[in-house]
Amino acid sequence: MSTLEIKDLHVSIETEQGTKEILKGVSLTINTGETHAIMGPNGSGKSTLASTIAGHPRYTVTSGSITLDGEDVLEMSVDERARAGLFLAMQYPVEVPGVTMTNFLRTAKTAIDGEAPSLRHWTKDVKTAMADLKIDPAFANRNVNEGFSGGEKKRVEILQLELFKPKFAILDETDSGLDVDALKVVSEGVNRAQEKNSMGTLLITHYTRILRYIKPDFVHVFVDGKIAEQGGPELADRLEEEGYDRFLKVQA
């Protein structure tokens, strides 16, 4: 079992108005095999947590820690975090002109594992994963995300997740912009990755609809850069009925 541990994390960014603190003391422990859903209103710090774990340079950790099996994640470069077993599915996946999907996937897999995968097995794994995610085989020869729809980009993120086999996946609003069919396909991909690799999942979302397909073990409500409440799946059901008003009234 592996453990991703976040302790009393404070994170700031620089804005035109000066330094702004976004995370104000977040503590969270995730073990492999667990699914944690982070929910909350816009601007509550959910995506900031994801970006900070992944190592986005815009975010400055002013205090607190992030460790993976006792190793200091904050001392790792972005590529070292990936090799250590951290994966971020981005809210807005970027296009990479001039780099084909085939080359990108195999190069990334080689960088993560430290050796190139067997071509015969790798080709089979890629084809199987693409078929499971209903990705057109022709996409393998297209440039990464170039001209892809929002739903296609999200499927490609989960394709990477299935092929790279991380210890922990941070899914930053992976459900945004997906229709019902795409949501089901993407969710099934996440569930497959969890079952095969006992992956830990940190699922960031506004809505409970994805939680019908990816069942959380724990739910954490973010409000104003802090965890306002924690619970099991029943907390997500309550949020579906009540929204975030009761938290925002307390804040006000």
Side-chain angles (χ1 to χ4, degrees):
M1 185 178 74
S2 289
T3 301
L4 180 65
E5 190 168 16
I6 301 160
K7 285 186 178 179
D8 196 24
L9 189 67
H10 292 251
V11 175
S12 298
I13 60 168
E14 294 300 322
T15 70
E16 292 180 357
Q17 291 74 39
T19 302
K20 180 180 180 182
E21 186 177 40
I22 300 182
L23 297 185
K24 304 173 181 178
V26 172
S27 295
L28 188 62
T29 301
I30 309 162
N31 296 308
T32 44
E34 295 177 351
T35 298
H36 291 248
I38 291 185
M39 306 184 70
N42 282 324
S44 57
K46 304 184 303 297
S47 291
T48 294
L49 177 63
S51 296
T52 302
I53 294 171
H56 195 295
R58 185 185 180 204
Y59 300 93
T60 301
V61 176
T62 54
S63 65
S65 64
I66 305 174
T67 58
L68 174 54
D69 294 334
E71 297 292 321
D72 188 351
V73 170
L74 299 177
E75 289 296 318
M76 299 178 187
S77 62
V78 172
D79 58 311
E80 286 171 339
R81 296 181 197 209
R83 285 197 295 271
L86 297 176
F87 177 90
L88 172 65
M90 293 183 285
Q91 185 175 357
Y92 304 108
V94 297
E95 297 184 3
V96 188
V99 180
T100 65
M101 287 274 295
T102 297
N103 287 339
F104 165 72
L105 291 169
R106 193 157 193 265
T107 300
K109 180 67 171 174
T110 300
I112 290 168
D113 291 354
E115 60 181 5
S118 159
L119 196 54
R120 183 163 58 90
H121 291 107
W122 175 249
T123 301
K124 180 183 175 184
D125 289 346
V126 172
K127 286 182 178 177
T128 300
M130 288 182 72
D132 287 340
L133 288 162
K134 296 181 171 56
I135 298 172
D136 187 333
F139 277 43
N141 296 316
R142 290 177 60 177
N143 292 337
V144 178
N145 289 332
E146 194 170 34
F148 292 14
S149 70
E152 288 165 347
K153 289 179 180 179
K154 296 296 178 74
R155 291 183 199 218
V156 168
E157 292 282 282
I158 305 307
L159 174 66
Q160 296 170 47
L161 175 66
E162 290 205 62
L163 293 172
F164 298 163
K165 299 178 170 60
K167 293 178 181 175
F168 293 95
I170 299 101
L171 310 180
D172 188 9
E173 297 194 29
T174 298
D175 52 337
S176 65
L178 296 183
D179 61 29
V180 173
D181 292 333
L183 178 66
K184 189 170 186 290
V185 169
V186 162
S187 299
E188 287 170 350
V190 175
N191 289 334
R192 275 193 303 274
Q194 285 186 301
E195 289 165 12
K196 290 178 182 176
N197 309 312
S198 191
M199 178 182 75
T201 302
L202 188 63
L203 176 63
I204 295 168
T205 182
H206 284 295
Y207 309 108
T208 59
R209 64 176 194 153
I210 194 171
L211 303 183
R212 297 170 195 159
Y213 301 104
I214 302 174
K215 302 297 185 183
D217 301 298
F218 306 95
V219 175
H220 313 271
V221 183
F222 264 45
V223 177
D224 192 30
K226 299 186 289 288
I227 295 177
E229 188 169 339
Q230 304 183 82
E234 72 284 345
L235 179 53
D237 295 335
R238 187 176 176 192
L239 291 171
E240 174 81 354
E241 294 175 6
E242 301 178 3
Y244 301 110
D245 281 354
R246 64 192 173 94
F247 298 107
L248 299 176
K249 286 172 184 174
V250 170
Q251 182 189 350

